[in-house]
Amino acid sequence: MTRPDATRTDSWSSDRVSVTQSAEQADPRRWWGLVVIALAQLMVVLDATIVNIALPSAQRDLGMSDGNRQWVITAYTLAFGGLLLLGGRVADLVGRKRTFVIGLVGFAAASALGGAATGSGMLFAARALQGVFAAVLAPSALSLLTTTFTDPKERGKAFGIYGALAGSGSAIGFIVGGLLTEYLDWRWCLYVNVPIAVVAVFGALTLLHDRPGHAGARLDVPGVLLGCGGLVAIVYGFSEAEPRGWSDALVLTLLAGGVVLLAAFVWWQSRAPMPLLPLHIVKDRNRAGCFLTMGLAVIGMFGLFLFMTYYLQVVLAYSPVRTGLAFLPMTAAIIVGSTQISARLMNRVAPRMLMVPGMVLAAGGMLVLTRMTVDSSYATEILPALLLMGLGMGLTFMPVFSTATAGVAPQDSGVTSATVNTSQQVGGSIGTALLNTIATTSSTAYVTAHLTDPSKRALIVKEGVVHGYTVAIWCAVGIMLLAGLIAGVMVTAKPPQHDASAPAPVPESAV
């Protein structure tokens, strides 16, 4: 969406963009800067799943109850998803490079604290701190990428790599988590972040460049309380829906309260002098379409990760390492779809021409999984589904990230990046709770209806579990197709070099 004062600065903006692009062409280190940004993004994304496979070991070691163990995951996603908007705006005000380094250092310290945990409470607190610093780090990383690569061809390559990491990071987390848990100790699933962060900090200090923050700007405190409070309430409500059930009073109160807070947040943002989330960002049709597509796509993807992890380990009796390696082809497919297909076609076709087929492919992969049984073959039934899912996600994520952050004024790049990450994180939380609840309910109903012979109880229970997974995956197929429909209808952006109407970036002095 074109800002009101963009017209009087078009000439100045064009000159500035030309100078910026010339500087980029003369500085070959920008690609090493991408490596640093990619490392940080990979660390944040894989940390959402790397602990999953290690959770049984951590539970035994620290004496966690079955009811409390979910907080190892929930404490991270709750802080991360709830504070992303705040982290994005702080990055805009203080400076993206500065908050990037602060986020890395804090994330590493919180990881070390979690690895050294002597009790469940200490581990929960460390995971929450990881989420807090991830909420600062993630939008800083994406906005640095946005302001570093402005040339359409280079932007396509850079976002292809970034999209591949965003899409495959969760799967990589399962692989790394399985290896570390089986051959070292569950604590290394947290300690591993420390050396990654150290390398990224040194790389950021020497390779990354950024404009200074806005020293005279003020943080929108009411917006922080309303927006972050609403997101925290909704993410917390969905996380509690799994153990308590959807009709529980606390769950309903949290979800209703979150909706009310977010409605009040939108009302306030239209009146605030310096809003936390300028509404012109979400009013733009293309960005809104990208945010919705991302959220819906991740709902289905996180559901798949959850079910396939349990299916492979519990039903097919795979070891943690074998389970992690089973996701490797999907990770490879995401990388191929993002860097070899989307990145090459991004400057030739409209973004929705990649996003819609991507969602259809992903839905097709999940459709294959609805046929799985208690003795399905990995090579002939599971592998083809994972490859289709991976290609679809790779095709989708790269244009979503690139389109959502294109043409944004520099002072809004952090909060725009945070909004993309928020849709991803909240979508993951909703997907885990929603689809897991559907699977559990369906499994219980199946076992109740079919358990007529007590001697076959073990088999019926296992069949019931798989039946629950397939019912939930059917729902995920519908969600994926809805994401494709939204992308096709709402994302009308043209290929970058053909989009003559795209507004030039507004200089930082424009308010």
Side-chain angles (χ1 to χ4, degrees), residues 30 45 75 82 93 120 204 309 318 349 388 400 426 433 435 487 489 497:
R30 66 192 179 282
V45 174
L93 299 180
S120 58
T309 300
Y318 280 22
V349 302
L388 284 173
V400 164
V426 173
L435 297 180
V489 172
Q497 78 270 27

mmCIF file of all heavy atoms in Angstrom, residues 30 45 75 82 93 120 204 309 318 349 388 400 426 433 435 487 489 497:
data_model
loop_
_atom_site.group_PDB
_atom_site.id
_atom_site.type_symbol
_atom_site.label_atom_id
_atom_site.label_comp_id
_atom_site.label_asym_id
_atom_site.label_seq_id
_atom_site.Cartn_x
_atom_site.Cartn_y
_atom_site.Cartn_z
ATOM 1 N N ARG A 30 27.685 -9.464 1.446
ATOM 2 C CA ARG A 30 26.270 -9.530 1.794
ATOM 3 C C ARG A 30 25.767 -10.981 1.774
ATOM 4 O O ARG A 30 24.848 -11.327 2.503
ATOM 5 C CB ARG A 30 25.440 -8.665 0.842
ATOM 6 C CG ARG A 30 25.413 -9.151 -0.588
ATOM 7 C CD ARG A 30 24.814 -8.094 -1.503
ATOM 8 N NE ARG A 30 24.789 -8.526 -2.898
ATOM 9 C CZ ARG A 30 25.853 -8.527 -3.696
ATOM 10 N NH1 ARG A 30 27.027 -8.142 -3.219
ATOM 11 N NH2 ARG A 30 25.746 -8.922 -4.951
ATOM 12 N N VAL A 45 13.750 -21.606 14.418
ATOM 13 C CA VAL A 45 12.694 -22.487 13.913
ATOM 14 C C VAL A 45 12.855 -23.911 14.407
ATOM 15 O O VAL A 45 11.894 -24.547 14.845
ATOM 16 C CB VAL A 45 12.672 -22.447 12.365
ATOM 17 C CG1 VAL A 45 11.677 -23.458 11.824
ATOM 18 C CG2 VAL A 45 12.296 -21.059 11.885
ATOM 19 N N ALA A 75 5.635 -23.298 26.838
ATOM 20 C CA ALA A 75 6.300 -22.110 27.380
ATOM 21 C C ALA A 75 7.053 -21.367 26.284
ATOM 22 O O ALA A 75 7.085 -20.130 26.249
ATOM 23 C CB ALA A 75 7.263 -22.506 28.503
ATOM 24 N N GLY A 82 3.357 -14.756 21.362
ATOM 25 C CA GLY A 82 2.704 -13.615 21.986
ATOM 26 C C GLY A 82 3.487 -12.323 21.913
ATOM 27 O O GLY A 82 2.890 -11.245 21.942
ATOM 28 N N LEU A 93 12.573 0.443 16.214
ATOM 29 C CA LEU A 93 12.899 1.630 17.005
ATOM 30 C C LEU A 93 14.369 1.669 17.407
ATOM 31 O O LEU A 93 15.015 2.716 17.384
ATOM 32 C CB LEU A 93 12.021 1.686 18.262
ATOM 33 C CG LEU A 93 10.503 1.765 18.047
ATOM 34 C CD1 LEU A 93 9.780 1.817 19.383
ATOM 35 C CD2 LEU A 93 10.146 2.975 17.204
ATOM 36 N N SER A 120 11.998 -29.255 36.795
ATOM 37 C CA SER A 120 11.086 -28.910 35.709
ATOM 38 C C SER A 120 10.810 -27.410 35.652
ATOM 39 O O SER A 120 10.722 -26.826 34.570
ATOM 40 C CB SER A 120 9.773 -29.679 35.867
ATOM 41 O OG SER A 120 9.165 -29.395 37.119
ATOM 42 N N ALA A 204 27.467 -11.435 12.672
ATOM 43 C CA ALA A 204 26.600 -10.252 12.614
ATOM 44 C C ALA A 204 27.401 -8.975 12.834
ATOM 45 O O ALA A 204 27.189 -7.969 12.146
ATOM 46 C CB ALA A 204 25.487 -10.376 13.653
ATOM 47 N N THR A 309 5.414 -38.019 13.947
ATOM 48 C CA THR A 309 6.388 -38.353 14.992
ATOM 49 C C THR A 309 5.864 -39.498 15.850
ATOM 50 O O THR A 309 6.572 -40.478 16.120
ATOM 51 C CB THR A 309 6.673 -37.125 15.878
ATOM 52 O OG1 THR A 309 7.207 -36.081 15.064
ATOM 53 C CG2 THR A 309 7.684 -37.473 16.961
ATOM 54 N N TYR A 318 9.788 -47.008 15.479
ATOM 55 C CA TYR A 318 11.066 -46.458 15.049
ATOM 56 C C TYR A 318 11.805 -45.882 16.257
ATOM 57 O O TYR A 318 11.204 -45.408 17.213
ATOM 58 C CB TYR A 318 10.856 -45.330 14.036
ATOM 59 C CG TYR A 318 10.575 -45.772 12.616
ATOM 60 C CD1 TYR A 318 10.070 -47.045 12.340
ATOM 61 C CD2 TYR A 318 10.815 -44.928 11.548
ATOM 62 C CE1 TYR A 318 9.807 -47.436 11.047
ATOM 63 C CE2 TYR A 318 10.553 -45.314 10.237
ATOM 64 C CZ TYR A 318 10.047 -46.571 9.993
ATOM 65 O OH TYR A 318 9.791 -46.956 8.698
ATOM 66 N N VAL A 349 6.971 -15.318 -12.810
ATOM 67 C CA VAL A 349 5.539 -15.561 -12.644
ATOM 68 C C VAL A 349 5.041 -14.844 -11.397
ATOM 69 O O VAL A 349 5.817 -14.490 -10.504
ATOM 70 C CB VAL A 349 5.225 -17.072 -12.544
ATOM 71 C CG1 VAL A 349 5.707 -17.808 -13.778
ATOM 72 C CG2 VAL A 349 5.867 -17.681 -11.291
ATOM 73 N N LEU A 388 5.766 -34.959 -1.551
ATOM 74 C CA LEU A 388 4.772 -34.028 -2.073
ATOM 75 C C LEU A 388 4.561 -32.856 -1.119
ATOM 76 O O LEU A 388 4.484 -31.697 -1.531
ATOM 77 C CB LEU A 388 3.447 -34.752 -2.310
ATOM 78 C CG LEU A 388 3.348 -35.653 -3.540
ATOM 79 C CD1 LEU A 388 2.029 -36.412 -3.530
ATOM 80 C CD2 LEU A 388 3.482 -34.840 -4.819
ATOM 81 N N VAL A 400 5.711 -16.347 -0.160
ATOM 82 C CA VAL A 400 4.992 -15.724 0.954
ATOM 83 C C VAL A 400 5.889 -14.730 1.676
ATOM 84 O O VAL A 400 5.513 -13.574 1.900
ATOM 85 C CB VAL A 400 4.471 -16.792 1.946
ATOM 86 C CG1 VAL A 400 4.077 -16.148 3.275
ATOM 87 C CG2 VAL A 400 3.264 -17.511 1.368
ATOM 88 N N VAL A 426 1.578 -18.588 15.533
ATOM 89 C CA VAL A 426 0.217 -18.797 16.029
ATOM 90 C C VAL A 426 -0.457 -19.927 15.250
ATOM 91 O O VAL A 426 -1.185 -20.740 15.823
ATOM 92 C CB VAL A 426 -0.598 -17.492 15.931
ATOM 93 C CG1 VAL A 426 -2.061 -17.733 16.278
ATOM 94 C CG2 VAL A 426 -0.017 -16.439 16.869
ATOM 95 N N ALA A 433 -2.904 -27.875 18.642
ATOM 96 C CA ALA A 433 -4.025 -28.090 19.563
ATOM 97 C C ALA A 433 -5.271 -28.586 18.835
ATOM 98 O O ALA A 433 -5.910 -29.553 19.258
ATOM 99 C CB ALA A 433 -4.328 -26.791 20.306
ATOM 100 N N LEU A 435 -5.773 -30.001 15.697
ATOM 101 C CA LEU A 435 -5.721 -31.305 15.056
ATOM 102 C C LEU A 435 -5.494 -32.424 16.057
ATOM 103 O O LEU A 435 -6.009 -33.534 15.894
ATOM 104 C CB LEU A 435 -4.631 -31.315 13.983
ATOM 105 C CG LEU A 435 -4.863 -30.343 12.822
ATOM 106 C CD1 LEU A 435 -3.733 -30.423 11.807
ATOM 107 C CD2 LEU A 435 -6.195 -30.615 12.126
ATOM 108 N N ALA A 487 -4.766 -17.712 -1.251
ATOM 109 C CA ALA A 487 -3.617 -17.216 -2.019
ATOM 110 C C ALA A 487 -4.036 -16.843 -3.440
ATOM 111 O O ALA A 487 -3.622 -15.815 -3.987
ATOM 112 C CB ALA A 487 -2.508 -18.254 -2.045
ATOM 113 N N VAL A 489 -7.007 -15.931 -4.542
ATOM 114 C CA VAL A 489 -7.959 -14.828 -4.603
ATOM 115 C C VAL A 489 -7.349 -13.511 -4.135
ATOM 116 O O VAL A 489 -7.570 -12.453 -4.717
ATOM 117 C CB VAL A 489 -9.214 -15.157 -3.766
ATOM 118 C CG1 VAL A 489 -10.129 -13.945 -3.657
ATOM 119 C CG2 VAL A 489 -9.969 -16.328 -4.372
ATOM 120 N N GLN A 497 9.963 -7.661 -11.621
ATOM 121 C CA GLN A 497 10.479 -6.779 -12.653
ATOM 122 C C GLN A 497 9.396 -6.279 -13.596
ATOM 123 O O GLN A 497 9.617 -5.341 -14.355
ATOM 124 C CB GLN A 497 11.598 -7.465 -13.447
ATOM 125 C CG GLN A 497 11.125 -8.486 -14.486
ATOM 126 C CD GLN A 497 11.026 -9.869 -13.890
ATOM 127 O OE1 GLN A 497 10.821 -10.029 -12.692
ATOM 128 N NE2 GLN A 497 11.196 -10.896 -14.725
#
